Amino acid sequence: MAGKHVQRGFFDLDDRYAALSKIGDPLARLAGVIDFEPFRYRLEKALKRSDGSQGGRPAYDCVMMFKILVLQALYGLSDDQAEFMIGDRLSFMRFLGLGFEDSVPDAKTIWLFRELLVEAKAIDKLFALFDRRLEAKGYLAMGGQIIDATLVEAPKQRNSEDEKRDIKEGKVPEEWRDNPHKLAQKDMDARWTLKRGRKADPTKHNAIEIAIPVFGYKNHLGSDVTHGFIRTWTVTDAARHDGRQLRELLHKANTASGVWADTAYRSRRNEAIIARNGLFSKVHHRRAPGKPLNQVQSRANATRSKVRARIEHVFAHQKRRMGLFVRTIGMARARMKIGMANLVYNIKRLLCLRRRLAA
């Protein structure tokens, strides 16, 4: 009857959830495949290890709070956006195990939980825990490994030339030392770099090379060829050279010896590192200044590109589908943010492989 208030009951909510599942709730599929409970021990240990100077352990269940970080990584949400979306979306509430009668963690609580994990340097162990679970399910690192890096942007810093010089020298600019509120908003770990690309030239039939200034960090990855999971990773400022991170990214447990990478990783030092680890270099050949590649090198590069290009799909997915962007200040928080994106990518990759297997 028009104008009459209808009270919703428990079964009405069940019906809504059933309708969501019927049309394909991606979070319900995720919850059906991924058991987050094994993260509890590592989370509780990390939270205990923190000294509690910023408020102690949050009152909310740690696994539920970790799943909020998963949601943030999946959809590129800030803390304020996460608070709103949890209260607004039934699919988010069901994923977190919240009912209408439950309180929703606010943005400050989400920030505090993540800060405690940052202080405990927990992301590496959380990532390693899931990687061990992948291996236990039979998803061993196989087929060789692909190494590459991508830029992850952060909010641009508008600094004077003197401030930039002090930061490069590892100093805190004098004006910032006297203004702690301003210092708290300045990222002294991120760096500017030039991102090279190509742009179509309307006056010609080919593209022209362009360089775009980017401020932020780099996500350095190593993925296995067979399954496409991220197996190794590290984070640096955006200005750091890709090739310098090769040693840290090599995964010795891979069942095959091939190492694919682009020309940025081609150096005598890196070739020696690959050989010393009993691996076989499939790094792209670099053209000598003023000289073209010979036919053998050109064919080898073309063949290697077919494998190496697979890691570009990882970066594209993180940036376009997951909205990877560093909103935080400093390297420790950036590492947590990017590390969560790498962990959640592996979660999504597992879902994809399981769906293919079922089909």
Side-chain angles (χ1 to χ4, degrees):
M1 181 181 296
K4 185 177 180 180
H5 176 71
V6 179
Q7 185 175 359
R8 299 294 180 184
F10 176 78
F11 293 105
D12 295 304
L13 182 59
D14 270 0
D15 291 342
R16 293 286 298 277
Y17 281 151
L20 281 174
S21 298
K22 186 175 181 180
I23 61 178
D25 178 1
L27 294 179
R29 288 198 298 268
L30 191 156
V33 173
I34 306 299
D35 179 13
F36 288 94
E37 194 59 31
F39 288 103
R40 181 177 297 279
Y41 168 77
R42 183 55 62 191
L43 290 168
E44 289 180 344
K45 191 170 182 181
L47 295 171
K48 260 182 209 175
R49 194 160 58 240
S50 301
D51 60 10
S53 60
Q54 298 190 41
R57 291 180 57 186
Y60 291 98
D61 179 74
C62 65
V63 174
M64 188 269 285
M65 292 299 298
F66 177 69
K67 290 166 77 173
I68 293 177
L69 302 190
V70 171
L71 288 174
Q72 287 185 293
L74 275 172
Y75 299 106
L77 301 175
S78 67
D79 295 340
D80 289 316
Q81 289 171 332
E83 178 187 351
F84 174 80
M85 296 296 283
I86 294 166
D88 184 64
R89 286 195 176 182
L90 283 175
S91 59
F92 278 37
M93 291 176 63
R94 175 166 64 169
F95 179 70
L96 297 174
L98 294 174
F100 286 128
E101 71 282 1
D102 296 317
S103 62
V104 173
D106 60 20
K108 180 69 175 179
T109 301
I110 297 169
W111 176 87
L112 175 60
F113 177 79
R114 187 173 55 250
E115 281 291 291
L116 293 175
L117 295 184
V118 170
E119 290 174 12
K121 300 179 180 179
I123 185 58
D124 295 273
K125 292 180 179 178
L126 292 169
F127 184 91
L129 186 153
F130 190 72
D131 191 59
R132 290 193 297 271
R133 290 183 65 197
L134 289 175
E135 292 179 350
K137 293 177 182 293
Y139 294 103
L140 302 176
M142 300 171 66
Q145 52 198 299
I146 311 170
I147 309 295
D148 207 349
T150 190
L151 293 166
V152 181
E153 293 190 59
K156 296 177 176 61
Q157 305 280 297
R158 308 298 182 184
N159 302 323
S160 67
E161 292 302 320
D162 290 341
E163 290 170 342
K164 290 177 183 177
R165 185 179 61 252
D166 286 343
I167 292 171
K168 286 182 179 179
E169 293 175 358
K171 302 176 184 176
V172 178
E174 186 175 350
E175 183 185 346
W176 299 3
R177 289 198 296 268
D178 300 332
N179 189 343
H181 294 292
K182 184 174 183 178
L183 179 59
Q185 298 301 317
K186 291 293 185 179
D187 193 337
M188 296 182 60
D189 295 329
R191 292 289 183 272
W192 284 96
T193 191
L194 291 176
K195 180 181 179 181
R196 310 221 172 251
R198 300 179 71 82
K199 181 180 179 181
D201 187 347
T203 64
K204 300 178 181 178
H205 294 294
N206 56 352
I208 57 174
E209 289 192 2
I210 58 173
I212 304 170
V214 176
F215 182 80
Y217 296 89
K218 270 185 183 176
N219 186 16
H220 303 262
L221 300 182
S223 72
D224 71 298
V225 173
T226 299
H227 297 119
F229 288 111
I230 298 169
R231 301 293 181 171
T232 57
W233 62 277
T234 190
V235 177
T236 67
D237 63 72
R240 200 70 61 90
H241 192 274
D242 297 358
R244 293 284 182 179
Q245 310 307 313
L246 179 76
R247 187 196 302 272
E248 194 167 348
L249 294 172
L250 289 179
H251 191 237
K252 299 176 184 178
N254 198 293
T255 60
S257 61
V259 178
W260 284 262
D262 64 25
T263 55
Y265 298 86
R266 189 83 185 188
S267 68
R268 291 181 180 178
R269 172 182 172 273
N270 282 347
E271 292 296 304
I273 290 172
I274 292 171
R276 279 201 300 271
N277 282 279
L279 302 172
F280 183 75
S281 174
K282 293 183 180 290
V283 179
H284 274 42
H285 295 285
R286 179 181 292 169
R287 180 175 61 83
K291 294 182 180 179
L293 294 174
N294 60 45
Q295 289 186 354
V296 174
Q297 292 172 327
S298 295
R299 284 197 295 269
N301 279 2
T303 301
R304 294 171 183 183
S305 290
K306 295 176 182 178
V307 175
R308 195 200 66 79
R310 297 178 191 178
I311 202 167
E312 298 296 342
H313 298 293
V314 179
F315 298 140
H317 189 92
Q318 287 185 328
K319 291 181 179 181
R320 296 173 190 170
R321 301 290 294 275
M322 297 168 60
L324 178 56
F325 182 85
V326 174
R327 295 182 177 88
T328 53
I329 302 295
M331 176 61 76
R333 295 185 181 113
R335 185 176 179 83
M336 180 72 197
K337 172 75 175 182
I338 295 172
M340 277 301 301
N342 293 337
L343 171 56
V344 170
Y345 175 83
N346 279 356
I347 289 174
K348 293 193 73 177
R349 182 65 183 166
L350 177 59
L351 258 64
C352 177
L353 295 179
R354 293 287 293 272
R355 193 161 57 244
R356 288 181 188 176
L357 185 63

